[in-house]
Amino acid sequence: MQPTINPDPNNNYYPQQQLPQEEALDFRKYLFLLLSNWYWFGLTIALGMGTAYLVNRYSNETWQLRGTLIVGEQRSNSSVNVLLNELTPLRRMNRQTVVENELSILKSYSMALRTIRELDFDFNYFAVGRRNIVTSPLYASKPFEIIPDTTIEFPYNKHMHIIIENEKNYTVWFGDNETRYKGQFGQWFQQGTWNFKLDTTQFFSTSLFGNEYFVYRSTHNSLANQYRARLNVQVNSERGSIVSLSMTGLEKQQVADYLNTLMDEYIQMDLEEKNRATINSIEFIDEQIKNVTDSLEIVGLQLQRFRSDNQVIDLTQEGQILFEQLREFQNQKAQLEIQNEYYDYLLDYVSSRENEGDIIAPSVVGIDDPLMNSLVQQINQLYIEKQEMAYTMQPGSPAIRAIEEQLQELRASLVENVTGLVSNNQRTLNAFSARVQQTEQQLTRLPATEREFINIQREFDINNEIYTFLLEKRAEAGITKASNTSDHAILDPVKAENATKTSPNNSQNYVLGFILGLFIPLGIIVLREFLDNSIHGRHDIEKITSTPYLGSIGHNAMDSEIPVNDKPR
C-alpha cells in the first residue's frame, strides 16, 4: 500500500507516518538468549538435584499401615427395634447409624487411652546422627531400655541424653544442664528425681560405642491425643460393615502394635459390655453362696456332733414323714426369701440414679415373670445405647435426653411390677411359714432327741439344697459368659512388613528438584527480558517507530582508541 501524500501550507509534501504494529514473539531470539545463559541452568539444576538428594538422605522415612475390622450389628431385644429391623429401608438407616457410632468409638479419646495403657509407649527413644543433623526414632531396635524406680515419679517431657561409652558404662546428662554423670548398665542410677536403671537389649553391640541417644517420657494423656489425631477410620462401602483403620508413623512396628492393640481392645470392650450383666449375676450369686456356706459349715458341725453324742442314725416312720414335710416347706420358703432379696436389690438399684449398669436378670434367682424379664432387658439395652452415644454426643443432647426419658418410664413400670410381686411373694411366704409352724407342733409328739435331730438335719438339708441351687445358677452364668462372643472381628491384622512408604518419595523429589532447577532461571530470564525497555540496537528502534534509521554511533568501553587492533575478533 502506498503512503498517503498530504500537502502542507508551504506546498511541501511528506508521507503520513503509520503506527508501529505489534511484533510477534521472536522464538529464535529467546532460544539464543536461553542458550547463552546455559550455565545458570546447569547451576540451578545441580542445586535442585542436590537439595533433593539431601532431603532423601536425611529425612526420616514415614510409613502407612492399614488393618480392617468387621463391625457387627448389635441386636436389640426391644420390640420397637425388632419391628424396625423387619423394614429394610429403616434397617439400612439403623445399620448406617450403628456403623457411624462404632467409628466414633474407635476414634474416641477413651478408646485411645485404653489402648495406650496396654502398650509400653511411655518412653520415647531417639538416636542422634553422627553430625547431629537428624534424629531417628527407635522402638523395637533400641539398644537399651529404661527401668524407672516406681517409688519415685520419673520426670515427664524432659530430655535425658545418653552416650554409650563401652559395654559396661555410659555417660548421661539431663535437659540443658551440661553437667555429665557416669553410670553402669544394669545398675541403679539416682540424681535428684532421676532414678532409673538402664538394661541392655539384644540390639546392643560394640559398634554403638560413642553413639548419642536421648530419651523422654510422655504422659498417657498426650499419647492418647497424639495417636487419636493420627488415626484414620473409614468404611469401605456405604452399606458394608468393613471398617478400615490406617495410620502413618516413623516406626512401622510401633504403628502396627498400636493398631492391633486398638482392634483387640475394641473387641474386648464389646465383649465386656455383653458380659456385664452376667458378671453382675455371678457377683450376686457369689455373695449369696458366701452366706450359705458359713451357715452350712456351722450346721454340718452341729449335725456331726449330735450324731456322735446321741448315736442317732435313723428316724422313726412318723419322724421321717414330718421331716420330709418340713424340708419341702423350708425349701420353698428359702427360695422365696432369695427372691425377696433380689426384689430388694432391684428396687434399690432402680431407685438409685448412680447405678446405670446392667441389671441382674430375674432368671438367675429362678424368677420367670415375663413382664419383669422384658422390662429388665429393655432397661439394659437402653443403658448400652446411652453409653455408646456418650462417645459421640454431649451430655444433655436430644438423643440422650430421649433415652433418659424412656429409662425413667421403664423404671417406674419396673417398680410397679416389683411392688406387686413383693406383695404376692410375701403372702406365699406367710402361708409356708404357717405350714412350717403346724408341722413343728406335730413334732412335739416325738421324743426330744429325735425332735432335735430333725431340726438340725432339716436346717442342714435346707442350706445344702440352697447351696446346690446357687452353684447350678453360677455354673449357668459361667457358661453364658464363656459362650459370649463379640459382634466384631479382625479381618486383616496389621503387619509391619506390609507397610507402605509415604515419605520421602525419592523419585518425586528428584523430578521436583530438576523441574525447579529448570524453570527458576527460565522464569527469571524471560521475565527480565520482558520487563527490559532499554534500547540495545537498531532492531529495538525499528520495533517501536517507522522513522528512517540513518546510522549509529559506536561506544568504546575499552581504554584503547583503536580497539580493533587489540581484539580484531
Side-chain angles (χ1 to χ4, degrees), residues 47-62:
L47 288 175
M49 299 295 284
T51 302
Y53 169 78
L54 293 176
V55 170
N56 294 336
R57 172 67 177 81
Y58 292 105
S59 294
N60 289 322
E61 294 179 338
T62 303

Side-chain angles (χ1 to χ4, degrees), residues 84-102:
L84 291 178
N85 286 334
E86 297 297 328
L87 304 175
T88 302
L90 294 178
R91 183 176 182 180
R92 289 177 181 173
M93 293 176 60
N94 183 52
R95 174 66 189 159
Q96 185 177 1
T97 303
V98 169
V99 173
E100 289 177 355
N101 290 339
E102 298 304 318

Side-chain angles (χ1 to χ4, degrees), residues 48-49 52 506-518:
M49 299 295 284
N506 295 351
S507 57
Q508 180 179 335
N509 289 340
Y510 281 122
V511 171
L512 183 60
F514 178 82
I515 292 176
L516 290 177
L518 179 66

